[in-house]
Amino acid sequence: METKDKHIVIGGEAGQGLVTIGQMLTKALARSGYEVLVAQHYMSRVRGGHNTYRIRTGNGEIVSPVDGIDILVALDQETVSRHKANVTESGIVILDETLDPEGLKAVRVPFKELAPRPIYQNIAGLAVVAELLGIGQEVLQRLIRNTFRRKGDEVVTQNLTVLGEACRWTEAHKSSCTPLPPAEGDSGRMVIHGNEAIALGALAAGVKCCFFYPMTPATSVAQNLITYAERMQLIVEQAEDEIAALNMGLGSVYAGAKTLVPTSGGGFALMTEAVSLAGVMESPIVIVLAQRPGPATGLPTRTEQADLNLALYAGHGEFPRAIYAPATVEDCFELTYRSFDVTERFQTPVFVLTDQYVADSYRAVHKFDLAALAPVAEPDTGSEGDRSYKRYAFTEDGVSPRKLPGFSEALVLADCHEHTEDGHITESMDVRVAMNDKRMRKEQGMRAETLAPRYFGDEGASRILVCWGSTEGPAREAAARMRRKGAKVGVLSFTQVWPLAPESFMPLLENAEEVIGIEGNATAQFMKLIRQETGFKVHRTVLRYDGRPFTPRYILQNLGEEEG
C-alpha cells in the first residue's frame, strides 16, 4: 500500500478550464505508465464558484484521495487562499505571475506571454505541470493531436506551438519540485471514471434501452450510452420526468429489452411507485442510483452514502431486490454486468448504488476481458407456448418462466394488482398469500449468491474497519498506516449490501476486539442494517456527511490516531 506519489490539485472557477487541464494531465500520466486516481470537487454552477480537480499519481497501488497537496495549480487567487494550509512542506504552487503565492514556494508563469490567446493558457498550464513532473513531450504531443484533430490542423499546430514554448520556459525556470520517479506501470490502459464503467458494463451485458431524466451525478451514465447508441443499436431516451423514465423502462422490459435507468436521490424518490410496480410485475430492471447529499436538492454536486435505506425500502409493499455498491471503477463494470444477470434470473429490481465520488473518479484500468464473462441470462424467446402459459406460475424457488409477448401463442399478461398465476386480477386471500410468498422466496436464492465482503489486512486482526462502496480505498489506506505502527488491523469491505449473508462475515467481526464502521452518512445506515440482520453492534463509527469523500487522514483523526 505504501507509494511514492504526488497529489496535484488544480483549482479555479467553473469555466476557467481546470477540467481540461486535469483530464489531459490524467491521460498523460496514465499513458506514461503511472497510476492515477482523480477526485473532482465542483459547485453546482455553470460558471463561477470554486472547483478543484485532484489527481493522485505515482507508482504502486493508489486507492484513496488524500489531503496534503504537493503541487497546487492555482487558476485564480481564491485557490491559493483556500488551499495553502494543505500544501506540504516541500509543495509548490504554480500560478500566473500576476497572482500572489501568499508565502508558498512558487513557480510564477507568464501565461499571457506563453499563450497568444487566453484559450491556449490551459495547454501552457498543462505543459508546465507535466515538465515539472518529468512527463515527456512526446506523450503530450500525441494527446494534443488526438484531442484536437477534429478541429483541424491549424488548431492542432497552435496548441503544439504553445506546448513547446511552455515546456522550454519551464525547463529554464524549474524550481526544486522533485519529478516523479520512472514509471513502473503498464501504459496501455484506459482512463475512465465510474459512470463510464457502468455504461460499459451495461453494454457488455447487452443493454438495449436506457431511459433517464438528467440529474447529477448520474447523467453521464446515459450520456456515455448515447455515445454508443448508433453503433450498438440502443435506444436512449430523455423522458419528461423521472416517473416517466422508470415506467418507460418497465414497458421496454415487458417487450424483452434489457433496460437501465440511471438517477439520483431526488429523481429516485419520484420513481418509488414504479419500483413497487416492478416488484409486483416481477420485472427485471437495473436502476443506477448515484448518491449525493440531501434532503431535497441538498448538495447536488457533492458525495454521500445516505440513500441506502431509500434503495432498500423504496416502494410500497414487500418484494425482493438486490443492491450492489461498487468501490472501484472495475467494480462499476463488473457489478453492472452482474446486475443484468441477477435481475433477469430472479425477475426483480436490482440496484447499483454508487455516489458522486465513484461516478466522477477517473482511474487507469486494464481493458475488461469480455471473453471471460459468463453469459447473461435471457428470457424465453422460443416459439413453444400456448394459452395455458402462466406468467406467474408457482414454483419452488419463486421464479416463474418468463416468456415475451409475440414470440409464441402464449398470452403474456402483466398487472399492477395482485394476480393469479396466469396474470388475472384476484382478491382471493389464499392466492394473495401464496403469490406474495412466491415472490419473497426469490430472496432466498439471491441470498445464496450474495457476494462475500472483501477482506484486506492481518489474519486474526484485533481491529476491523467495516465499510461499503466508495469508503473502501480510504479505509484500506488508513488501516495500512495503522499497521505500520504495529497495530493488527483489517478492512472488511462490502460491495453487495443487500441481501446479506452473515455466515460470510460474522466470524471475522465476532473474533475482533474492536469493530469500527466507516460510512458516508450521519446515521450509520449500513451498520444498523448489519445489527438488524445479525444482532451485532459495531463498537464505534467514523461518519462523514459534509459532501466530501473520505480520506485516510479523516479516518485516523476521528479515531484519535497519530499519522505517520
Side-chain angles (χ1 to χ4, degrees), residues 266-293:
F268 182 70
L270 294 171
M271 295 180 179
T272 54
E273 183 181 23
V275 173
S276 191
L277 178 59
V280 76
M281 289 172 58
E282 303 187 40
S283 296
I285 193 163
V286 177
I287 301 167
V288 174
L289 175 51
Q291 300 168 99
R292 67 191 208 185

Side-chain angles (χ1 to χ4, degrees), residues 347-371:
Q347 300 173 25
T348 200
V350 172
F351 296 87
V352 179
L353 188 59
T354 181
D355 56 47
Q356 181 271 327
Y357 165 65
V358 171
D360 291 334
S361 180
Y362 285 94
R363 311 194 194 187
V365 299
H366 290 95
K367 293 179 180 179
F368 303 117
D369 186 358
L370 301 184

Side-chain angles (χ1 to χ4, degrees), residues 308-317 319 321 323 498 529 532-533:
L308 172 57
N309 286 342
L310 177 63
L312 182 58
Y313 300 114
H316 49 289
F319 52 94
R321 68 195 75 195
I323 306 175
W498 189 261
L529 182 59
Q532 171 185 305
E533 293 300 298

Side-chain angles (χ1 to χ4, degrees), residues 74-94:
L75 302 184
D76 60 5
Q77 193 64 50
E78 183 180 3
T79 297
V80 182
S81 301
R82 275 180 177 254
H83 301 287
K84 63 182 179 181
N86 282 328
V87 176
T88 62
E89 187 175 342
S90 59
I92 62 168
V93 59
I94 299 171

Side-chain angles (χ1 to χ4, degrees), residues 10-14 16 43 45 48-52 72-85 93 95 99-100 102 104 302:
I10 306 164
E13 295 182 0
Q16 283 193 293
M43 300 179 73
R45 304 181 188 182
H50 178 70
N51 299 345
T52 60
L72 179 63
V73 183
L75 302 184
D76 60 5
Q77 193 64 50
E78 183 180 3
T79 297
V80 182
S81 301
R82 275 180 177 254
H83 301 287
K84 63 182 179 181
V93 59
L95 72 174
L99 299 178
D100 180 5
E102 299 185 21
L104 296 174
R302 304 295 183 178

Side-chain angles (χ1 to χ4, degrees), residues 236-259:
V236 184
E237 179 74 17
Q238 179 179 323
E240 61 267 31
D241 56 36
E242 290 87 351
I243 299 172
L246 188 50
N247 280 296
M248 291 167 72
L250 297 180
S252 65
V253 164
Y254 172 73
K258 291 187 178 72
T259 301

Side-chain angles (χ1 to χ4, degrees), residues 194-211 220-222 224-226 228 232 234-236 257-262 286-288 329-341 343 352 368 370 373 376 378:
N195 277 358
E196 289 177 285
I198 287 172
L200 292 175
L203 289 168
V207 68
K208 287 301 178 186
C209 291
C210 172
F211 302 103
S220 60
V221 174
N224 275 278
L225 289 175
I226 289 170
Y228 300 103
M232 302 297 289
L234 309 180
I235 294 174
V236 184
K258 291 187 178 72
T259 301
L260 180 73
V261 177
V286 177
I287 301 167
V288 174
V329 166
E330 291 89 345
D331 287 342
C332 288
F333 175 87
E334 293 165 6
L335 294 177
T336 302
Y337 185 89
R338 181 184 180 90
S339 294
F340 277 95
D341 182 57
T343 195
V352 179
F368 303 117
L370 301 184
L373 296 172
V376 171
E378 303 284 349

Side-chain angles (χ1 to χ4, degrees), residues 9 87 115 158 193 243 264 296 361 377 406 476 533:
V9 174
V87 176
Q158 289 173 337
H193 59 50
I243 299 172
S264 190
S361 180
R476 286 180 60 194
E533 293 300 298

